[in-house]
Amino acid sequence: MKYTTMAAVALLIGGSYLSAKATLFDPAQSITVETYSDIFFKLESSPVSINEIITGASQFADSLCDESIYQEVIGESVNSCKQKFKQSQAQCAEFIIKNNEPMYTDKVAITQLSEKFINCMTNS
């Protein structure tokens, strides 16, 4: 009886764990892109939209602005980077959306598009 109870508890815990993992990694579930790395995580199970690329690339560019040493090396400051970012984000997003495909499945194309968007925002 003791072993039967322990086995039942182990099966319950194991089943719950596997069920949770299956739900977490279910490709049918929607993955919300909030960071640059989310783009590539979502890409493993479904195409990525141009708006999701912009969201992820914006987060990445914003995080670059927060790196004071990096900003100093390139001759900028955190404040000037953030200011450029705010001033150019909408215009650069509009340009990227207008001149590119709505959905992507290729990592190289996504990386190139992200770089183009980030360069647009930081070189304005």
Side-chain angles (χ1 to χ4, degrees), residues 11-62:
L11 283 173
L12 259 163
I13 293 172
S16 296
Y17 175 78
L18 291 175
S19 175
K21 285 294 187 186
T23 302
L24 181 62
F25 294 107
D26 181 5
Q29 280 195 336
S30 178
I31 297 170
T32 302
V33 173
E34 296 176 355
T35 66
Y36 187 67
S37 60
D38 288 344
I39 295 169
F40 300 99
F41 183 66
K42 180 175 182 176
L43 190 59
E44 292 178 12
S45 61
S46 63
V48 178
S49 74
I50 188 78
N51 289 324
E52 291 170 319
I53 295 170
I54 289 169
T55 297
S58 292
Q59 177 275 325
F60 184 76
D62 191 42

Side-chain angles (χ1 to χ4, degrees), residues 3 11 16 50 59 61-62 70 80 90 96 100 102-103 118 124:
Y3 292 111
L11 283 173
S16 296
I50 188 78
Q59 177 275 325
D62 191 42
Y70 173 74
S80 68
I96 293 292
N100 292 282
M103 299 299 287
I118 291 168
S124 295

Side-chain angles (χ1 to χ4, degrees), residues 71-110:
Q71 293 303 320
E72 186 178 316
V73 167
I74 63 170
E76 296 284 339
S77 70
V78 169
N79 289 337
S80 68
C81 181
K82 294 262 187 193
Q83 188 174 25
K84 282 182 186 180
F85 180 85
K86 285 179 186 176
Q87 290 174 346
S88 62
Q89 185 178 18
Q91 182 180 5
C92 292
E94 183 180 321
F95 175 78
I96 293 292
I97 290 169
K98 181 179 172 184
N99 294 300
N100 292 282
E101 299 296 318
M103 299 299 287
Y104 288 85
T105 58
D106 181 56
K107 287 181 182 182
V108 172
I110 290 170

